[in-house]
Amino acid sequence: MFAKILIANRGEIACRVIRTARKLGVRTVAVYSDADAKSLHVEMADEAVHIGASPVGESYLRGDKIIAAALATGAGAIHPGYGFLSENPDFVDQVVAAGLTFIGPSAASIRAMGLKDAAKRLMEKAGVPVVPGYHGEAQEIVLLASKAREIGYPVLIKARAGGGGKGMRRVEQPDDFSEALSGARREAKAAFGDDRVLVEKYVDKPRHIEVQVFGDVFGNVVHLYERDCSAQRRHQKVIEEAPAPGMTEALREAMTDAAVKAAKAINYSGAGTIEFIVDASQGLKADRFWFMEMNTRLQVEHPVTEMITGINLVEWQLRVASGERLPKAQSEITFAGHAFEARVYAEDAAKGFLPATGTLHHLKFPETSPDGATLRVETGVRAGDAVSPYYDPMIAKLVVHAKDRPTALEALGEVLARTEIAGSTVNTAFLAALAADPDFAAGDVDTGLIERHRETLTAVPPPDGEIVAAAALAASGAQAPPSDDPWSALAGYAHFHSVARRTHLSHGEIEIAARVTVRPDGRFGVTLEAPYESTNSHDFRAVPRCARWPGHITVFEGAVGYTFAVPDPLARSDEAQAGSGSLRAPMPGLVKLVRVAVGDAVTKGQPLLILEAMKMEHTIVAPHDGVIADIAMEGAQVTDGTVLVGFLEEPVA
């Protein structure tokens, strides 16, 4: 086993590798860019090396800097994670030339599967079924159009290099072929530097089912069963599961046998995934699946396989790369139960899943597993970390495992409902809606399901009165006693009537005003005013699930986070009182410090006193030039509306 390894990646996968390496007694070296200087994976590793500026081309794609860091720190091997350089055969060659071990397949294996057309020709020779289509070298438009007619429409034009749905076009009829080909080529050229394509039969109801394979340098290859990754948006996976719903024994046997053949055909060593497209229009049948491509690395969704098999795939990677044989033979590998993985992203589902950025001011995952299930959270961020525009906006992977699919799916919904994230737009509501979708729940899923149900899955109802009232309560600074907050100290006391506080907030373009009272029995009452009816009253025994962050309140209702903007009450007070003869307290609080005295001439903007409220100090400034006629005493406890400062009626010239 290696004494020390370098992890040429970041985020949750870097953290994942570090945890397993630590378990095996292997020291770790992290690499980081400017944007990741204070990231979790840097904190977790035994050592860390800065490799460049934030853009990936200046850091995580700089193989020379990564190899230099490994040599300088005495690491014996490099784990690539996924993405970045993980499937770059030239990088593998450079690692080996430097006398280091690449924790993954050989450069030859990666090259064999690197181009879709060549890989499919290789798979045909190995007896692995491939989608009917044209995978040749010639790229003349006349030839490609002719092949499309032979295959039969609809067809799919696909870039021969890369992945992620780039350079891909579905064509319904011959008249559309030329324009679709041009678009696919432009996109492929921009993304991969290669505009060559292949043309395949379009499968009407495609399922994306993949098989986890593992090989060693002694020629042994095993499979660890299948995963279903059909739930995709923009050709990218969002919820994966294992095993595949509706899988028959005949199809599983045929598919896993084909996957092992594919891996053996290229002398594969390490973790890999054989991806198949399955025609589910007539159910899952053993003669209706075809090889799509191979990912010559660890997959993002590998935890679902680990959960059902009990096998640590990263541990296997380290053992095999260090020269050990596969830890188990095929007959020793079994699976039990069902697992789901949901990818939590900073993205706006309602706006076409556009990536989002922001600071994760509040980040809270469930601390306990749902009844009858096991929860696993894979993340590379903490509360206070920023979602950078430079990298993939994944925040976490929520993984659940239970005895069967219905139980696991129910657990996934519960976990999503208990996850709290504030500071960036996230997709938890979309994931929860997908998990609850009747077709998905029934296992009737294909790669087009999300697009067909997109409007329903991405729709978020506006906040109802109860949610708005909860936000107003949170914005008021109310807390359940005991607390040293001046507002909380008022709970339970009322002289003739309940103490009240006015609060203002907004949701989108809607301006909201509310009045919050603390009743003698400790309950909170919230009356919504503008733009609601004054009779719209709500009672709370405690402050609901919410997060307060700079200038905002986020209220959590299930998997949905409703965010309200909260204006600075002091700024609002200053604006409202700029022309008046007095300054009133915008909220209950304690006069902490008085900086002027009666008779002092003051100028606009001059600090007059400090009011401590809601556990923060607020400086009260003069709204205009004038002379102090009256001012609150230092140490005085004041309520909402109490006069803090009075001015002489005639301001100083």
Side-chain angles (χ1 to χ4, degrees):
M1 181 55 66
F2 308 108
K4 182 189 291 186
I5 65 171
L6 180 143
I7 303 161
N9 218 296
R10 63 178 300 280
E12 59 87 16
I13 183 57
C15 297
R16 164 80 177 89
V17 175
I18 290 169
R19 285 194 299 272
T20 292
R22 183 177 296 149
K23 170 189 167 188
L24 297 174
V26 177
R27 292 179 62 80
T28 55
V29 180
V31 292
Y32 64 93
S33 68
D34 289 347
D36 284 337
K38 297 182 179 180
S39 63
L40 181 58
H41 78 279
V42 171
E43 179 183 296
M44 289 179 62
D46 297 299
E47 302 173 57
V49 179
H50 177 253
I51 55 170
S54 301
V56 294
E58 300 177 43
S59 51
Y60 297 106
L61 293 181
R62 288 293 301 271
D64 57 337
K65 290 187 175 183
I66 290 169
I67 292 171
L71 294 173
T73 56
I78 294 178
H79 193 300
Y82 39 69
F84 295 143
L85 295 169
S86 62
E87 294 182 281
N88 186 318
D90 294 337
F91 176 65
V92 178
D93 284 337
Q94 292 162 8
V95 169
V96 174
L100 303 169
T101 299
F102 182 76
I103 302 175
S106 67
S109 294
I110 295 175
R111 286 191 176 97
M113 289 297 187
L115 296 175
K116 295 183 179 69
D117 54 353
K120 289 183 178 181
R121 291 195 296 270
L122 180 61
M123 292 299 98
E124 285 180 307
K125 292 180 181 178
V128 177
V130 300
V131 180
Y134 173 71
H135 309 131
E137 291 288 340
Q139 293 287 301
E140 293 81 6
I141 185 172
V142 175
L143 174 66
L144 295 175
S146 173
K147 292 297 182 181
R149 285 193 295 271
E150 289 178 16
I151 297 165
Y153 285 90
V155 298
L156 194 64
I157 301 172
K158 298 171 66 176
R160 73 195 293 259
K166 295 181 176 66
M168 185 181 294
R169 296 289 189 278
R170 175 181 174 176
V171 190
E172 297 288 343
Q173 55 188 4
D175 291 346
D176 300 330
F177 187 84
S178 177
E179 183 178 350
L181 176 63
S182 296
R185 280 177 165 167
R186 285 193 304 271
E187 194 169 87
K189 183 69 173 179
F192 316 120
D194 185 345
D195 67 355
R196 288 171 289 182
V197 301
L198 47 86
V199 183
E200 293 180 341
K201 176 67 179 174
Y202 181 82
V203 179
D204 288 326
K205 190 175 182 181
R207 289 269 296 273
H208 178 131
I209 301 177
E210 59 190 35
V211 175
Q212 177 72 58
V213 293
F214 222 108
D216 63 24
V217 295
F218 303 98
N220 302 305
V221 178
V222 297
H223 71 80
L224 291 90
Y225 302 95
E226 81 282 352
R227 299 185 287 258
D228 194 303
C229 307
S230 301
Q232 303 177 8
R233 69 350 178 207
R234 294 188 286 109
H235 302 289
Q236 295 181 334
K237 307 162 189 174
V238 288
I239 293 183
E240 304 96 346
E241 59 183 301
M247 176 61 73
T248 66
E249 284 304 317
L251 177 57
R252 176 174 289 135
E253 183 177 352
M255 189 175 284
T256 54
D257 179 65
V260 171
K261 282 182 180 177
K264 286 185 174 180
I266 58 172
N267 300 313
Y268 197 78
S269 176
T273 299
I274 311 296
E275 297 188 344
F276 296 100
I277 189 167
V278 182
D279 183 355
S281 59
Q282 299 177 13
L284 298 182
K285 297 185 177 181
D287 62 348
R288 303 294 289 172
F289 77 96
W290 302 280
F291 172 85
M292 188 162 54
E293 63 182 343
M294 182 178 190
N295 286 303
T296 52
R297 55 172 168 77
L298 194 67
Q299 291 280 82
V300 176
E301 59 271 19
H302 74 274
V304 293
T305 295
E306 294 184 325
M307 296 295 266
I308 66 169
T309 63
I311 291 172
N312 185 326
L313 294 179
V314 174
E315 179 178 340
W316 275 33
Q317 283 187 300
L318 297 179
R319 292 192 180 283
V320 166
S322 65
E324 296 182 22
R325 292 181 178 273
L326 289 176
K328 289 187 177 184
Q330 188 66 68
S331 60
E332 300 175 287
I333 301 172
T334 58
F335 75 89
H338 203 96
F340 284 97
E341 173 184 284
R343 302 188 190 188
V344 179
Y345 281 99
E347 66 180 13
D348 193 334
K351 294 182 179 178
F353 302 100
L354 285 175
T357 58
T359 299
L360 302 174
H361 292 285
H362 180 83
L363 182 65
K364 183 179 179 182
F365 300 110
E367 297 179 356
T368 58
S369 298
D371 291 342
T374 301
L375 168 65
R376 171 175 164 182
V377 179
E378 296 283 350
T379 186
V381 295
R382 302 148 297 187
D385 286 350
V387 178
S388 166
Y390 297 104
Y391 315 117
D392 183 270
M394 182 189 290
I395 295 172
K397 301 184 304 192
L398 304 180
V399 189
V400 295
H401 178 247
K403 62 180 181 179
D404 53 36
R405 190 173 189 270
T407 306
L409 190 58
E410 182 179 357
L412 179 63
E414 180 181 332
V415 167
L416 287 165
R418 289 163 54 195
T419 296
E420 300 177 4
I421 304 173
S424 177
T425 302
V426 295
N427 68 338
T428 49
F430 160 74
L431 292 171
L434 178 57
D437 179 86
D439 288 346
F440 186 84
D444 184 16
V445 59
D446 61 80
T447 58
L449 182 144
I450 289 177
E451 187 58 35
R452 289 196 303 273
H453 299 187
R454 182 170 171 175
E455 186 174 340
T456 301
L457 295 175
T458 60
V460 175
D464 59 21
E466 189 78 3
I467 293 170
V468 175
L473 177 59
S476 73
Q479 299 181 37
S483 170
D484 58 358
D485 183 272
W487 166 241
S488 298
L490 297 176
Y493 173 78
H495 191 65
F496 301 121
H497 60 81
S498 298
V499 177
R501 170 184 292 169
R502 297 181 67 83
T503 187
H504 297 82
L505 60 160
S506 62
H507 184 72
E509 300 298 320
I510 302 175
E511 297 290 332
I512 302 162
R515 182 173 290 276
V516 180
T517 58
V518 185
R519 295 175 179 159
D521 62 1
R523 289 182 301 131
F524 300 103
V526 180
T527 300
L528 298 180
E529 298 176 347
Y532 300 88
E533 296 293 333
S534 60
T535 56
N536 196 332
S537 299
H538 304 265
D539 286 343
F540 297 90
R541 290 199 171 275
V543 180
R545 275 203 317 155
C546 64
R548 187 182 184 98
W549 48 287
H552 298 82
I553 292 288
T554 298
V555 177
F556 301 102
E557 178 69 15
V560 182
Y562 292 97
T563 296
F564 298 79
V566 182
D568 184 343
L570 297 176
R572 179 182 291 271
S573 175
D574 288 349
E575 182 180 344
Q577 302 181 64
S580 69
S582 63
L583 279 175
R584 296 178 180 272
M587 63 189 82
L590 174 71
V591 179
K592 196 72 176 288
L593 179 67
V594 176
R595 293 184 170 179
V596 293
V598 173
D600 286 353
V602 297
T603 58
K604 182 178 180 180
Q606 180 179 339
L608 305 179
L609 59 83
I610 293 177
L611 180 70
E612 185 183 71
M614 295 164 61
K615 295 188 175 180
M616 294 185 293
E617 290 187 350
H618 306 271
T619 300
I620 305 296
V621 301
H624 50 67
D625 295 351
V627 175
I628 303 297
D630 189 24
I631 192 161
M633 293 180 58
E634 200 167 284
Q637 183 77 54
V638 298
T639 59
D640 186 3
T642 298
V643 174
L644 297 175
V645 183
F647 296 92
L648 294 178
E649 291 187 7
E650 293 296 326
V652 177

